[in-house]
């Protein structure tokens, strides 16, 4: 039962992320691993809820996934109080 509950919770969270990022054509979240590796999904999620914090087009056009991930982690920490638990590299 615990495994089923976790799977259900993950599906609900994934659905929420997909709904939150649906207006960002470059973003297609299908899982919690590879869908996040280019940094676009995390930035889109932040931007969808706080578009005043940064210019989406400027971030989306950054050439490096590490730059985009670093940007998202910094915005989350500075403006939303979410600590950086992972290293973009």
């Amino acid at each position: 039962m615990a495994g089923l509950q976790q799977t259900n919770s993950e599906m609900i969270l994934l659905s929420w992320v997909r709904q939150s990022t649906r207006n960002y054509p470059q973003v297609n979240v299908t899982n919690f691993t590879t869908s996040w590796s280019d940094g676009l999904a995390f930035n889109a999620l932040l931007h969808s809820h706080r578009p005043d914090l940064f210019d989406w087009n400027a971030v989306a056009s950054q050439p490096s996934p590490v730059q985009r991930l670093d940007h998202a982690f910094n915005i989350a920490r500075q403006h939303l109080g979410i600590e950086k638990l992972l290293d973009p590299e």
Side-chain angles (χ1 to χ4, degrees):
M1 260 328 238
L4 180 62
Q5 180 62 35
Q6 182 179 2
T7 301
N8 192 33
S9 298
E10 287 175 357
M11 291 180 70
I12 291 168
L13 184 58
L14 190 62
S15 176
W16 175 78
V17 170
R18 289 179 60 89
Q19 181 71 17
S20 296
T21 60
R22 74 183 181 281
N23 293 326
Y24 299 84
Q26 308 95 315
V27 178
N28 183 26
V29 178
T30 58
N31 58 52
F32 286 111
T33 54
T34 57
S35 294
W36 299 85
S37 62
D38 65 3
L40 290 173
F42 192 9
N43 277 291
L45 185 60
L46 293 170
H47 191 262
S48 72
H49 293 283
R50 291 291 307 274
D52 59 305
L53 295 180
F54 62 93
D55 176 17
W56 165 255
N57 292 321
V59 171
S61 66
Q62 288 179 343
S64 166
V66 174
Q67 287 176 313
R68 291 189 295 266
L69 284 165
D70 196 46
H71 176 267
F73 281 120
N74 287 333
I75 291 292
R77 184 180 49 77
Q78 291 171 359
H79 297 282
L80 304 173
I82 300 169
E83 288 302 318
K84 181 178 171 181
L85 299 176
L86 299 172
D87 186 0
E89 310 243 343

